[in-house]
Amino acid sequence: MRVTKPATLAEAIRFLSTNPEAKILAGGTDLLPRLNQKLEYHDLLCCLDDLPELQGISLTAGGGLYIGASLRLWELAETPALAGYLAIQQAAAKVASPQIRNQATLGGNLLQENRCMFFNNQVPWSDVNKCFKWGGNQCFQYKGSKECVALFQSDLAPAMMAHGAQAVLTGSGGERRMPVAELYLSAGRKAIAHDEVLTGLVLPPLPAGSRSAYRRWTIRGSFDFPLVSCAVRLKVEAGAVADCAVVFGSAGIMPKAIDTSLIMGMAAGDPQGLAQKLMPLINKAVAPFRDTRVNAGVRVDMAKDCMAKALAAVCSG
Amino acid sequence: MNATMYELELTLNGKKVKDMIPSDMLLIDYLRNVRLLTGSKKACGAGECGACTVLMNGRPIYSCITLALQAQGKEIETIENLSDGDTLHPIQEAYLDAGAVQCGYCTPGMIMSTKALLQKEPQPGTQCIKEAMAGNLCRCTGYQQIIEAVQLASERMEQRRRDS
Amino acid sequence: MNEYKYIGKPVRRIDGQAKVTGRAVYSDDVILPRTLHAKVLHARQSHAKILLLDTEQAKAYPGVAAVYTAKDIARNDKYFRMGDTKDTWVLAEEYVRYIGDMVAIVVAESEEIAEAALRLIKVEYEPLPVVSSLQQAKEAKDLTRCDKPGNVAMPIVVERGDVEKDFAQAAVVAGGTYTFPSLHQVHLEPNSATAVYNMGKLAVYCASQMWFHIREDISAVTGIAEKDIEIKPMMIGGAFGARNDQPLPVITALLAVMLKATVKMTNTRLEEFLACRPALGMEIETWIAADAEGNFLSKKTKLLSGFGAYSSDGDAVTAIACFRGDNNYRFRSTYVNGTGLYLNHAPTGAYRGFGNPQMHFALEQAIDELAVKLNMDPTELRLKNFMHNHETSIHGFRYETNGIRECMAQAKELMGWDEKRKNKTPGKGIGVAALIHCSGSRAGKPEFAGSSALLRLESSGALTVLIGESEIGQGMNTVCTQIVAEELGVDPLSVNVVMGDTSLTPFSTGTNGSKLTSNLGIAILFACKDLKKQMSDCLRERWGIGPVEIKNGAAYGEYTGEKIMSFDEAAVKCSHAFNGRPFYGVGIFEPKTDLGDATGYGNLAPAYPFGVQMAEVTVHDNGTFTVDKIVSVHDIGKTINSQMAMGQVYGGVLQGMAGVTLESLAINKEGIYQANTLLEYKPPTFLEMPEIVGSFVETIDPYGPYGAKCIAEPPIIAVAPAVANALYDAVGIRFEEAPITPAIFRKKLLEKQRENQRQNQPEKLPENQGQQRTNPKEAGS
């Protein structure tokens, strides 16, 4: 395996456009474990870890924020610039473990591979259980599925979506922007060309009366990916819900936003009432995914719990 | 297979070093096999245990899921840098006095996480210690005496600061 | 009570300084010149016939020194020594029987080259049915191995007393079927070994709990005489039983001999999971009969245990599971029918507790159930039935000291048991479980029950303890120095300890059975006394000094009590007067124990540790639970190192709790562990710690050193049933299956709610009914 480390973004994009097989490595905390465990192999890596163009946080002309994709998760969790975007900071503060948060980048977290107990605990030398992700033609989560339905377990993605973040992609053809939600395609694919780099995120300004929160469920308090998570952003006007976003993470092959029109105008002082109203939407939002410890029913319960707690946090705070 | 070579320059335990290494070499392999700093351990290769923890620019990272070239131009500190001749670092002393060491395999990583924690938060509460150290697994101690060691180190370092 | 200077004190670890500075050398830290590196080709299937095995391309790969398969190994069938069942091979011959089975080995100039060459080995398999569960193995429609009809690796059937009669007379019978999964030791250091072959002699740098067994294995497989093999003990990064039976050092040695070279091999974490020796999963049906007052009459048990594809320590573990728990209580009769079954997963063996935690999970829940039926406090029911001092148990254990009642009293106090039982907090529960274990084991050498130690005195006054056991983190090397320091009055940090260098130390069966402090400790004590006598004799005979007594770091006149000379001066005098004669204090401890008759009856250990563990849990309104607190009180005999003893309690309790709440190998139908990473297996982190309150009862055993028994294994043994019993107390549900995952917990809660609903007023059910599935595409996209 060869690894190249371009010094500038332009150099990186030139390299990527002439080496379509190159796999991008940022912090490395998502990719390198799979490489070490022989679950994945690449001839060529392009390390974007320290590109100067991908660093820093700045104010945008519209009063929002531009966040470089190489910002480390600990910076994201601790920077005062993001104080109002609590869901994002809470999500960043919960990812994996302190060491991972010191190394992993925002961009890498948003573009991490989808996961599943069948693939990520695959025995690389075994020839039973070959799933789609492993070059086989079946899915063990859902027998009969035509493609991989592995979970997308990013903590940051639902929080970014709840805040209406835009992804900034830079490639040979220049720069383009799209809502974070649109990064995610079926079967874990991402809407990024091989010569494009996720260079940053643009967060819209926080409207007055807005609050957000992120809650998640894990087996252990550290290391674990969320079994399910929920980011909530709520705007309150005159004591009533004026705007609300509820996005579930680890809910399926991509984060799932649910329709919150049902609670518009309802009293913001009654988080339980809001939660009750939205509960019926969760069954459909959360994929009945199982692993070695939880089944579909538990995950739906956990999703409800996450949402109720996140709503309670934004209503009370 | 044909890994290209990479000229790596970094500050390792306070000294500037330069090495030609394969570009795909892991930081843990560079430290252990090139630099013969075998205090950091390779126990999972996946960032799931913390035995390989070293400090990069003062913050703990897993050297088993970091490429050596990611340390280019940075400061790396390993367990070998903590004691000074015959004098142990107060954290090392505290680990011994609190009984925080059993098999010792997690210990170098634990101590590096402790060092970063106490740098940032000189007097951490119990929950703060648990959160900050939660990226390091220990199978022997049940963690209780490690928490006591961190508290003891914190007290002694605070005392030393007050004395000087 | 005696006042000791070092015994019972929190003396610092003697290997601590090396460990906190990163200077401690573990097996993988060994870097020797001209080392070749080996990698194993494991089976691609859990059960298959090898149709074709072609290594030609791999052999031709640049940098490859050799590629070996079973047919290259002359003594391929000389593996293994632990059980009598000779059923294991170095490399797989005709069949592969689990996913970690070894098919071929590549030795090359680097690990990378070896790995690349592995991919060039061609193997074709004919798949065979996979036996992955105890029930499937028991039905025996499919065979784990075609050479073992019925899948039975071992049967045990023992009856003592008249079980049927006692059950017929019983007023109450309680019990059920309890399932305990195969757990992994998760020692943090993966196995690694470096073997150096030089002109007919072999040195092997490795980690082991049983240095001399490893040497026997290596001799058997390589054909090199044991006297030409030196085992170089490295620092050990955790063991917990996992280093009783290790293929890796043996195979590394074999490769070094075959290539006449230096060979190193290191496992990956995945290999540690799939190709090592985890604990036995068990399914235990047990029933206890009692009279109306709660006096136990009898116990009936049917036990199935999962051996894996080959026998490792499975037979010994199963036997202990069958018998040991019974000995804590007064039974008139007992019947046990245990069956070890072959399964197509890794061979299984020792894990802290050695089968005892599995049985305690069943037994202590059955007793709890009995207490419910009798409407008795479960602590009272146990107190009524515990064995007493100087009694002999139903399987022949004789108790010189039994502090179980004191343990119960302390545990109740520390938990606030009576208060919490009286004033129940909704959503909270408390549970109790008692435990018994042994301080002692014969570990594959039936004639060998004890321990031996040497204490060498140099002319400089330097003291070195030479023993064949292992330091696996438990702190035995420090305990050695404490005993020597106490006896001779020298500084414990000045005492050297050599553990396990087979060319220097006495023979030993190794570190197992929680026997080091109790058995080896006495041997060291005897060695101290012997050395003191030798020194005193020498001073009198050669120098006309004395008689003297060696104590407090000096020689004192036996009658005058006056200090005559320092210890170091005495050492010089002894050595010089004898033309440099080396002084070796020899200590041999031969306990008065029985091997056990054909039915397993006998007084197996010189001492028995007892304990009581209690758990407090909270059930949350979102349908989950947390373990808040665990109280762990142990009859330790006498504490030798207060800090390290408590470290054993904290560590064992957290392991025990994790085994019932978090950890799982999750064996699937293909016999593969679906949790084969630390991320998925889920060993506990700092954030899973409950409050652990440890305490000791010192019964001062007449045989142990200073009265000590043991503490290494007991703290893990009864945590799981204590937690399960606490959950029963909180929600009225029996959790017969471990681990109690969120899925199992929720399922049981829903069942209970439905049952309540049927019986009482309609109660609101959670909206989602569990297993129903929506269309994945709809849900996921």
Side-chain angles (χ1 to χ4, degrees):
Chain A
M1 186 172 72
R2 288 184 299 134
V3 187
T4 182
K5 199 177 180 197
T8 66
L9 179 60
E11 204 185 301
I13 290 169
R14 257 198 317 278
F15 182 82
L16 290 169
S17 61
T18 51
N19 295 279
E21 78 282 15
K23 174 84 178 171
I24 292 176
L25 172 114
T29 55
D30 180 47
L31 179 62
L32 289 169
R34 286 197 305 283
L35 295 180
N36 288 345
Q37 291 170 332
K38 314 268 186 282
L39 294 175
E40 198 170 315
Y41 179 79
H42 301 283
D43 278 318
L44 189 56
L45 296 187
C46 180
C47 176
L48 307 183
D49 208 12
D50 291 322
L51 286 184
E53 295 89 340
L54 271 56
Q55 313 293 331
I57 300 184
S58 52
L59 272 173
T60 63
L65 287 173
Y66 178 87
I67 311 173
S70 273
L71 218 71
R72 311 281 163 169
L73 300 185
W74 74 267
E75 294 178 88
L76 211 54
E78 292 176 19
T79 176
L82 278 169
Y85 301 87
L86 206 52
I88 293 173
Q89 292 210 303
Q90 288 171 344
K94 281 290 180 192
V95 175
S97 65
Q99 285 92 325
I100 299 270
R101 296 194 290 275
N102 288 337
Q103 179 75 358
T105 65
L106 167 60
N109 188 279
L110 293 175
L111 296 176
Q112 64 181 265
E113 278 286 320
N114 290 25
R115 304 178 56 87
C116 139
M117 70 163 169
F118 297 98
F119 176 75
N120 288 90
N121 287 281
Q122 180 63 259
V123 179
W125 65 71
S126 111
D127 60 6
V128 287
N129 274 5
K130 295 290 183 219
C131 70
F132 286 115
K133 235 172 143 60
W134 192 248
N137 56 4
Q138 52 188 330
C139 173
F140 291 97
Q141 273 293 343
Y142 302 116
K143 301 270 161 69
S145 173
K146 295 271 189 297
E147 59 184 15
C148 169
V149 298
L151 282 188
F152 182 59
Q153 293 185 289
S154 161
D155 285 287
L156 267 309
M160 285 289 169
M161 280 169 63
H163 276 288
Q166 296 262 322
V168 181
L169 303 172
T170 311
S172 314
E175 187 186 289
R176 65 184 177 120
R177 296 186 177 201
M178 64 165 86
V180 167
E182 291 175 20
L183 283 173
Y184 307 112
L185 306 175
S186 64
R189 287 186 294 272
K190 312 290 191 295
I192 296 184
H194 75 82
D195 63 344
E196 273 185 321
V197 172
L198 174 65
T199 43
L201 277 293
V202 175
L203 282 172
L206 268 183
S210 293
R211 291 194 201 104
S212 73
Y214 178 77
R215 293 293 184 272
R216 63 181 216 152
W217 249 102
T218 52
I219 298 286
R220 295 182 297 178
S222 182
F223 290 109
D224 290 4
F225 285 88
L227 295 164
V228 70
S229 66
C230 181
V232 170
R233 179 185 51 82
L234 190 76
K235 181 174 183 295
V236 181
E237 273 173 13
V241 177
D243 187 20
C244 179
V246 175
V247 187
F248 290 96
S250 299
I253 54 181
M254 58 189 73
K256 289 281 291 181
I258 59 170
D259 180 7
T260 56
S261 54
L262 278 172
I263 59 165
M264 287 307 129
M266 281 178 67
D270 176 21
Q272 280 185 337
L274 301 179
Q276 277 305 324
K277 202 83 181 166
L278 293 172
M279 287 297 181
L281 301 177
I282 295 181
N283 286 343
K284 238 182 148 182
V286 175
F289 203 87
R290 70 202 153 99
D291 71 12
T292 55
R293 287 171 184 76
V294 303
N295 56 21
V298 173
R299 291 186 63 252
V300 169
D301 280 0
M302 287 175 171
K304 289 176 177 172
D305 192 55
C306 289
M307 184 181 73
K309 285 187 172 139
L311 278 168
V314 291
C315 291
S316 72
Chain B
M1 271 283 75
N2 50 346
T4 46
M5 299 305 276
Y6 184 88
E7 190 180 273
L8 177 69
E9 275 187 79
L10 73 158
T11 307
L12 178 58
N13 292 335
K15 290 199 189 74
K16 290 225 180 298
V17 297
K18 196 194 272 195
D19 283 295
M20 282 303 283
I21 55 157
S23 62
D24 64 349
M25 182 175 252
L26 294 169
L27 181 56
I28 183 78
D29 291 335
Y30 169 71
L31 294 172
R32 288 177 56 86
N33 300 341
V34 177
R35 284 279 148 196
L36 304 183
L37 297 170
T38 54
S40 311
K41 305 300 180 197
K42 194 176 186 177
C44 76
E48 296 170 1
C49 78
C52 68
T53 300
V54 300
L55 304 188
M56 185 187 269
N57 291 349
R59 304 190 72 90
I61 58 152
Y62 297 132
S63 62
C64 78
I65 54 166
T66 302
L67 293 176
L69 60 71
Q70 290 181 274
Q72 179 74 1
K74 294 180 181 158
E75 280 179 29
I76 297 289
E77 186 180 10
T78 69
I79 186 70
E80 285 84 355
N81 199 42
L82 257 69
S83 51
D84 180 13
D86 287 341
T87 313
L88 294 180
H89 189 282
I91 297 172
Q92 294 171 315
E93 291 282 356
Y95 268 66
L96 293 180
D97 285 337
V101 179
Q102 287 190 29
C103 88
Y105 209 69
C106 74
T107 306
M110 283 286 177
I111 289 179
M112 295 319 283
S113 283
T114 307
K115 185 171 189 234
L117 165 65
L118 294 181
Q119 206 116 41
K120 198 176 151 196
E121 190 65 61
Q123 287 166 293
T126 304
Q127 188 57 27
C128 175
I129 294 171
K130 287 182 179 180
E131 301 268 353
M133 306 282 293
N136 293 73
L137 287 183
C138 169
R139 191 60 167 170
C140 297
T141 63
Y143 302 111
Q144 182 57 40
Q145 287 162 324
I146 297 179
I147 293 175
E148 289 162 15
V150 177
Q151 285 163 338
L152 187 61
S154 156
E155 283 161 26
R156 286 178 180 172
M157 288 161 79
E158 186 61 28
Q159 188 62 43
R160 195 175 285 194
R161 270 190 294 275
R162 255 184 267 132
D163 291 349
S164 62
Chain C
M1 195 175 287
N2 286 321
E3 269 306 313
Y4 298 113
K5 194 164 175 206
Y6 299 106
I7 299 301
K9 303 293 189 301
V11 173
R12 265 193 186 193
R13 300 188 67 90
I14 58 162
D15 55 6
Q17 205 146 335
K19 284 174 173 174
V20 297
T21 53
R23 280 199 287 264
V25 179
Y26 297 82
S27 301
D28 190 34
D29 301 337
V30 173
I31 299 169
L32 294 178
R34 286 182 297 167
T35 298
L36 295 170
H37 297 266
K39 278 308 239 185
V40 171
L41 182 78
H42 297 280
R44 293 206 310 268
Q45 306 227 350
S46 293
H47 191 196
K49 186 169 188 193
I50 300 174
L51 299 178
L52 177 136
L53 179 52
D54 176 1
T55 59
E56 287 314 307
Q57 261 187 294
K59 278 180 181 158
Y61 193 81
V64 169
V67 182
Y68 294 127
T69 63
K71 67 174 169 34
D72 302 309
I73 299 170
R75 304 165 74 91
N76 197 46
D77 61 342
K78 299 300 177 209
Y79 219 48
F80 243 125
R81 80 303 181 210
M82 287 298 297
D84 297 328
T85 36
K86 295 232 178 297
D87 65 355
T88 311
W89 296 267
V90 179
L91 296 185
E93 295 189 340
E94 221 178 322
Y95 297 93
V96 293
R97 299 184 173 94
Y98 73 105
I99 203 79
D101 223 343
M102 292 179 258
V103 176
I105 304 179
V106 175
V107 191
E109 285 165 15
S110 72
E111 265 197 17
E112 292 72 28
I113 293 172
E115 267 169 18
L118 279 186
R119 290 194 280 271
L120 301 175
I121 298 174
K122 287 197 198 93
V123 198
E124 278 173 28
Y125 292 107
E126 178 193 329
L128 295 166
V130 174
V131 180
S132 63
S133 73
L134 290 169
Q135 281 308 324
Q136 191 193 354
K138 192 175 165 230
E139 284 163 20
K141 261 187 281 175
D142 296 320
L143 292 186
T144 301
R145 356 183 344 170
C146 55
D147 58 343
K148 301 284 178 186
N151 293 324
V152 174
M154 75 170 299
I156 293 180
V157 182
V158 167
E159 181 168 2
R160 303 196 206 286
D162 192 336
V163 171
E164 285 317 311
K165 195 178 120 207
D166 286 336
F167 265 81
Q169 287 177 0
V172 197
V173 172
T177 301
Y178 306 88
T179 311
F180 204 83
S182 174
L183 293 174
H184 199 276
Q185 299 90 347
V186 195
H187 45 286
L188 213 50
E189 180 208 6
N191 273 286
S192 176
T194 301
V196 184
Y197 176 87
N198 185 18
M199 310 288 275
K201 290 189 188 283
L202 190 58
V204 185
Y205 300 76
C206 64
S208 174
Q209 286 174 257
M210 307 172 89
W211 307 111
F212 288 88
H213 275 303
I214 280 269
R215 192 175 70 176
E216 282 175 20
D217 286 344
I218 290 172
S219 176
V221 165
T222 60
I224 292 189
E226 280 191 59
K227 61 183 155 209
D228 290 327
I229 302 169
E230 237 182 297
I231 305 293
K232 294 291 188 190
M234 295 293 104
M235 208 67 92
I236 302 175
F240 313 111
R243 295 187 210 272
N244 267 16
D245 172 6
Q246 305 147 282
L248 185 135
V250 180
I251 290 168
T252 310
L254 173 65
L255 296 171
V257 173
M258 289 173 82
L259 285 160
K260 301 194 190 309
T262 299
V263 178
K264 180 172 182 175
M265 179 149 66
T266 303
N267 269 352
T268 61
R269 178 56 57 182
L270 184 65
E271 287 172 314
E272 284 298 309
F273 271 108
L274 294 174
C276 288
R277 307 288 180 257
L280 283 77
M282 291 187 197
E283 201 179 286
I284 301 169
E285 184 190 347
T286 197
W287 298 96
I288 298 174
D291 68 17
E293 280 77 48
N295 298 302
F296 293 177
L297 301 174
S298 185
K299 173 173 169 274
K300 251 196 297 208
T301 302
K302 267 189 203 157
L303 177 150
L304 302 178
S305 67
F307 267 50
Y310 305 103
S311 296
S312 172
D313 288 347
D315 47 359
V317 173
T318 303
I320 281 177
C322 283
F323 296 123
R324 193 160 290 174
D326 295 357
N327 297 289
N328 210 0
Y329 300 98
R330 207 181 297 106
F331 286 108
R332 289 209 308 231
S333 61
T334 187
Y335 168 82
V336 63
N337 181 337
T339 312
L341 293 165
Y342 288 112
L343 294 170
N344 291 114
H345 63 58
T348 51
Y351 177 33
R352 197 176 201 163
F354 212 76
N356 215 9
Q358 288 94 318
M359 178 46 95
H360 274 72
F361 184 66
L363 172 65
E364 291 293 321
Q365 281 202 80
I367 292 174
D368 214 59
E369 189 62 30
L370 196 66
V372 172
K373 288 195 170 169
L374 287 158
N375 198 21
M376 275 178 83
D377 183 323
T379 63
E380 293 303 316
L381 178 61
R382 285 177 174 82
L383 284 167
K384 198 175 188 120
N385 289 284
F386 283 142
M387 299 292 296
H388 281 276
N389 245 353
H390 310 300
E391 283 185 337
T392 299
S393 74
I394 189 150
H395 296 300
F397 291 12
R398 283 194 303 277
Y399 304 130
E400 297 300 334
T401 53
N402 181 342
I404 190 82
R405 287 176 172 75
E406 293 86 336
C407 289
M408 183 64 89
Q410 267 200 37
K412 286 179 75 167
E413 178 101 19
L414 292 168
M415 178 53 87
W417 178 269
D418 290 335
E419 169 60 25
K420 281 175 180 157
R421 245 181 100 79
K422 214 182 299 164
N423 305 313
K424 291 196 78 164
T425 314
K428 287 211 169 233
I430 49 172
V432 59
L435 71 92
I436 180 174
H437 203 57
C438 285
S439 310
S441 96
R442 297 174 185 235
K445 294 269 176 283
E447 70 281 14
F448 188 119
S451 268
S452 287
L454 286 176
L455 177 59
R456 185 177 71 201
L457 173 72
E458 292 172 37
S459 64
S460 64
L463 288 162
T464 304
V465 179
L466 299 156
I467 47 177
E469 284 80 358
S470 317
E471 169 58 41
I472 55 177
Q474 85 282 38
M476 188 58 206
N477 51 8
T478 308
V479 165
C480 289
T481 67
Q482 286 180 259
I483 293 173
V484 173
E486 189 68 45
E487 292 307 307
L488 304 179
V490 296
D491 178 358
L493 285 174
S494 75
V495 180
N496 305 308
V497 183
V498 172
M499 293 182 82
D501 188 321
T502 54
S503 58
L504 298 173
T505 74
F507 179 88
S508 156
T509 54
T511 297
N512 39 54
S514 295
K515 69 176 186 199
L516 265 54
T517 298
S518 58
N519 292 12
L520 176 61
I522 311 176
I524 293 166
L525 197 60
F526 289 170
C528 291
K529 291 193 193 304
D530 184 36
L531 179 68
K532 289 204 294 194
K533 181 168 185 308
Q534 288 184 43
M535 289 174 77
S536 170
D537 288 352
C538 170
L539 289 174
R540 204 173 61 220
E541 287 165 22
R542 300 266 159 157
W543 296 90
I545 301 171
V548 300
E549 191 187 350
I550 308 283
K551 61 180 185 184
N552 299 334
Y556 291 84
E558 204 174 298
Y559 305 123
T560 62
E562 272 169 33
K563 181 172 165 179
I564 297 172
M565 68 183 89
S566 74
F567 183 82
D568 288 0
E569 282 174 76
V572 172
K573 279 202 150 45
C574 288
S575 168
H576 291 188
F578 261 120
N579 307 301
R581 177 195 127 175
F583 279 78
Y584 277 89
V586 177
I588 302 160
F589 175 56
E590 199 174 355
K592 292 190 186 66
T593 58
D594 309 328
L595 175 56
D597 67 12
T599 69
Y601 185 93
N603 188 35
L604 302 185
Y608 300 91
F610 298 86
V612 170
Q613 300 186 298
M614 290 183 172
E616 182 172 27
V617 299
T618 301
V619 176
H620 306 288
D621 52 11
N622 60 18
T624 60
F625 72 94
T626 45
V627 180
D628 305 328
K629 177 173 174 175
I630 290 176
V631 170
S632 194
V633 185
H634 299 274
D635 169 7
I636 191 172
K638 163 77 188 161
T639 314
I640 302 286
N641 186 313
S642 55
Q643 193 176 55
M644 294 195 312
M646 199 52 89
Q648 291 298 306
V649 174
Y650 292 138
V653 165
L654 191 65
Q655 269 180 337
M657 190 202 92
V660 69
T661 58
L662 290 170
E663 296 175 10
S664 164
L665 283 167
I667 300 169
N668 69 13
K669 286 201 172 77
E670 282 81 33
I672 295 171
Y673 305 141
Q674 277 189 292
N676 57 42
T677 57
L678 293 175
L679 184 63
E680 197 59 35
Y681 182 76
K682 305 209 188 298
T685 75
F686 275 89
L687 297 167
E688 280 66 58
M689 295 170 65
E691 180 195 355
I692 301 174
V693 182
S695 184
F696 299 120
V697 169
E698 297 198 328
T699 48
I700 314 296
D701 193 85
Y703 293 117
Y706 313 100
K709 297 201 267 193
C710 70
I711 193 61
E713 291 176 279
I716 200 175
I717 290 172
V719 178
V723 169
N725 291 341
L727 282 171
Y728 180 85
D729 186 48
V731 293
I733 298 169
R734 264 300 147 217
F735 290 91
E736 296 103 346
E737 190 183 341
I740 307 164
T741 62
I744 289 175
F745 192 69
R746 181 179 183 279
K747 180 169 161 264
K748 292 257 189 183
L749 274 184
L750 283 176
E751 280 169 13
K752 176 88 180 169
Q753 281 169 6
R754 285 199 197 101
E755 192 187 314
N756 288 347
Q757 200 181 30
R758 269 198 303 275
Q759 285 170 0
N760 309 318
Q761 309 283 17
E763 204 175 286
K764 198 167 178 297
L765 270 180
E767 281 150 32
N768 192 281
Q769 302 273 334
Q771 301 296 336
Q772 84 206 18
R773 292 197 169 177
T774 46
N775 179 338
K777 292 209 76 177
E778 191 189 330
S781 52

